[in-house]
Amino acid sequence: MRVPDHIGIIPDGNRRWAESKGLSKEQGYTHGLSPGVKLLRLCKEVGVNEVTYYGFTTDNTERPPKQITAFRQACVDAVEMLANEDASLLVIGDRQADEFPDELESYTEERQPFGNNEIKVNFLVNYGWKWDLNSLSQADEVSRRKLKNQLNSNQVSQVDLVIRWGNRRRLSGFLPVQSVYADFYVVDEYWPDFEPEQFYEALEWYDKQDITYGG
Amino acid sequence: MRVPDHIGIIPDGNRRWAESKGLSKEQGYTHGLSPGVKLLRLCKEVGVNEVTYYGFTTDNTERPPKQITAFRQACVDAVEMLANEDASLLVIGDRQADEFPDELESYTEERQPFGNNEIKVNFLVNYGWKWDLNSLSQADEVSRRKLKNQLNSNQVSQVDLVIRWGNRRRLSGFLPVQSVYADFYVVDEYWPDFEPEQFYEALEWYDKQDITYGG
């Protein structure tokens, strides 16, 4: 089986899940925490080398304050839970902004190894595609080969497979440069309803794709 | 019905279609010409304001020479056919490179109105996402709001819906910045087997999507 080297995860549908359970929207986020850890363990089992989670984005700051607080806290909790796994962790996002949680500062400088350091994990927090690309303008001369190195997210490698939960079929600003050739798989269920079968089905689908890179 | 303002078209599957008909791969491209015109007319009918066709890309230059020649010629023919419609045409791509067809030079400077000029049509020829983004590094100071204006493809507006024919679920480098929030619809059939129903189904699907822009 051809296993993707790097998987991007868009864990969408927390608020819709909460509503469907009769909860208030902001109560959905905490139910997305344990799926993140379960998924990471599955990725290690099948031999994935790198996983990137789409957490809080600069676009999300338009949401009601209660939701923003809950979403940011869930991102902090998620990173701290992932730091208990065998993984090397990096948090990527605009940490100059007030919205960036202080608790995650220490994860932003360089990739931090935890446990047996078996897999790379990137967590996007206060990430924005504009923020990511803005750094290109700071470079003196960007050759075609070096473009990726100049991104604010330059420590994130090319994404092979994006899996989005919650039925929507769009990237919503997720790593536009690294995802140019990513295969895009959509799970209809909301993220808090994560099941291992959804992940395995995505892998089976990916295995059947013909990767050409335009050739 | 909520009609997308700007639709991106990835007309994929010409070579696979040719093979399925017992033709050589490069013979597929000419069968993709009339679908392009049919699609444009449907877009005008339903009130779409802008259409972008994904033609020849810089990644495609790895293909066998016979295929490259046929694909480039098909792009030239497609643009000349579209110039007979009521549309304002713009060809976008790296025209400094040898691969850029001389015949299309005149379409690259500014948008050219034809007939009743009812719809904007962009045709990507020798386009590459790296080429597109490289211009960001030439800008003195790129504010968040101005980022899109600095792209080589700055005359192309935000894409609302991408429709890809030929069953693959990836953008393959198609306008990464303009497509950050695009909804992505995949048609299983190959592009030369284009049918109006496929387009209408994509529009119906798009109408049901909840557009939030992260909010």
Side-chain angles (χ1 to χ4, degrees):
Chain A
M1 196 179 193
R2 195 174 52 91
V3 174
D5 212 51
H6 182 186
I7 299 184
I9 300 294
I10 305 182
D12 195 26
N14 297 284
R15 295 182 294 170
R16 285 174 283 159
W17 180 89
E19 279 192 308
S20 78
K21 301 286 177 189
L23 303 169
S24 60
K25 283 183 177 179
E26 71 275 12
Q27 289 180 289
Y29 297 117
T30 53
H31 294 271
L33 292 171
S34 93
V37 176
K38 281 183 202 158
L39 179 79
L40 177 65
R41 292 178 184 169
L42 295 180
C43 284
K44 280 193 287 193
E45 263 176 45
V46 300
V48 170
N49 291 320
E50 186 169 351
V51 181
T52 300
Y53 294 94
Y54 204 25
F56 190 76
T57 79
T58 50
D59 291 328
N60 298 148
T61 51
E62 304 295 313
R63 298 182 182 185
K66 233 189 230 177
Q67 289 179 26
I68 292 179
T69 306
F71 194 3
R72 280 172 59 197
Q73 187 57 49
C75 288
V76 172
D77 295 345
V79 171
E80 289 173 350
M81 283 170 80
L82 294 168
N84 288 318
E85 303 294 309
D86 295 326
S88 68
L89 254 176
L90 186 69
V91 170
I92 294 155
D94 183 2
R95 57 185 178 141
Q96 313 296 334
D98 291 344
E99 289 80 12
F100 193 91
D102 295 336
E103 300 95 313
L104 299 183
E105 279 287 350
S106 63
Y107 296 94
T108 58
E109 282 288 354
E110 55 184 63
R111 203 175 278 288
Q112 300 216 22
F114 294 97
N116 286 326
N117 184 14
E118 286 169 1
I119 188 168
K120 286 183 193 169
V121 176
N122 312 307
F123 207 101
L124 307 186
V125 176
N126 205 37
Y127 172 89
W129 63 270
K130 288 181 190 171
W131 166 81
D132 198 359
L133 296 176
N134 270 337
S135 56
L136 293 178
S137 64
Q138 262 100 66
D140 279 3
E141 194 186 312
V142 182
S143 79
R144 293 191 171 211
R145 294 202 174 185
K146 281 189 276 171
L147 194 140
K148 280 183 188 170
N149 299 341
Q150 311 287 356
L151 292 169
N152 270 321
S153 64
N154 60 32
Q155 293 184 74
V156 180
S157 65
Q158 175 182 297
V159 178
D160 302 303
L161 170 64
V162 172
I163 313 179
R164 179 168 186 148
W165 270 259
N167 192 31
R168 286 177 180 149
R169 297 195 219 168
R170 48 182 178 252
L171 287 172
S172 299
F174 179 79
L175 298 171
V177 170
Q178 289 91 340
S179 302
V180 285
Y181 276 111
D183 277 298
F184 190 54
Y185 186 87
V186 175
V187 177
D188 287 338
E189 288 82 14
Y190 301 136
W191 173 244
D193 284 331
F194 169 82
E195 292 289 343
E197 289 68 37
Q198 297 155 354
F199 175 68
Y200 292 130
E201 280 168 22
L203 288 186
E204 276 164 33
W205 173 80
Y206 178 78
D207 185 42
K208 285 180 288 187
Q209 302 310 302
D210 181 23
I211 309 299
T212 62
Y213 301 118
Chain B
M1 196 179 191
R2 195 174 52 91
V3 174
D5 211 53
H6 181 184
I7 298 184
I9 300 294
I10 306 183
D12 195 25
N14 296 284
R15 294 181 295 169
R16 285 174 284 158
W17 180 89
E19 278 192 309
S20 76
K21 299 288 177 190
L23 303 170
S24 60
K25 284 183 177 181
E26 71 274 10
Q27 289 180 288
Y29 297 116
T30 52
H31 295 271
L33 292 171
S34 93
V37 175
K38 282 182 201 159
L39 180 79
L40 177 65
R41 292 177 184 170
L42 294 180
C43 285
K44 280 192 287 193
E45 264 175 45
V46 300
V48 170
N49 290 320
E50 186 169 351
V51 181
T52 300
Y53 294 93
Y54 204 23
F56 190 75
T57 79
T58 50
D59 291 328
N60 299 148
T61 51
E62 304 295 314
R63 297 182 183 185
K66 234 190 231 177
Q67 289 180 28
I68 293 179
T69 307
F71 194 2
R72 281 173 58 198
Q73 187 56 48
C75 288
V76 173
D77 295 344
V79 171
E80 289 173 348
M81 283 169 81
L82 294 168
N84 288 319
E85 302 294 309
D86 294 328
S88 68
L89 252 176
L90 185 70
V91 170
I92 294 156
D94 183 2
R95 57 185 177 141
Q96 313 296 336
D98 290 345
E99 290 78 13
F100 193 90
D102 296 336
E103 300 94 315
L104 300 183
E105 280 287 348
S106 63
Y107 296 94
T108 58
E109 283 288 354
E110 55 185 62
R111 202 175 280 288
Q112 300 215 22
F114 294 96
N116 285 327
N117 184 14
E118 286 169 1
I119 188 169
K120 286 184 195 170
V121 175
N122 312 308
F123 207 102
L124 307 187
V125 176
N126 205 38
Y127 172 90
W129 62 270
K130 289 181 189 170
W131 166 82
D132 198 0
L133 296 175
N134 270 336
S135 55
L136 292 178
S137 65
Q138 261 100 68
D140 278 3
E141 193 186 312
V142 183
S143 79
R144 295 192 170 210
R145 291 200 176 187
K146 281 189 276 173
L147 194 139
K148 280 183 189 171
N149 299 342
Q150 310 288 356
L151 293 169
N152 270 322
S153 65
N154 59 31
Q155 292 183 74
V156 180
S157 66
Q158 175 184 297
V159 177
D160 302 304
L161 170 64
V162 172
I163 313 178
R164 179 168 185 148
W165 270 259
N167 192 30
R168 287 179 180 148
R169 297 197 219 167
R170 50 181 177 251
L171 287 172
S172 301
F174 179 80
L175 298 171
V177 170
Q178 289 91 340
S179 302
V180 286
Y181 277 111
D183 277 297
F184 190 54
Y185 186 88
V186 175
V187 177
D188 286 337
E189 288 82 14
Y190 301 137
W191 173 244
D193 284 331
F194 169 83
E195 292 289 343
E197 288 69 36
Q198 298 155 354
F199 176 70
Y200 293 130
E201 280 168 21
L203 288 186
E204 277 165 32
W205 173 80
Y206 178 79
D207 185 43
K208 286 180 290 186
Q209 302 310 302
D210 181 23
I211 309 299
T212 63
Y213 300 118

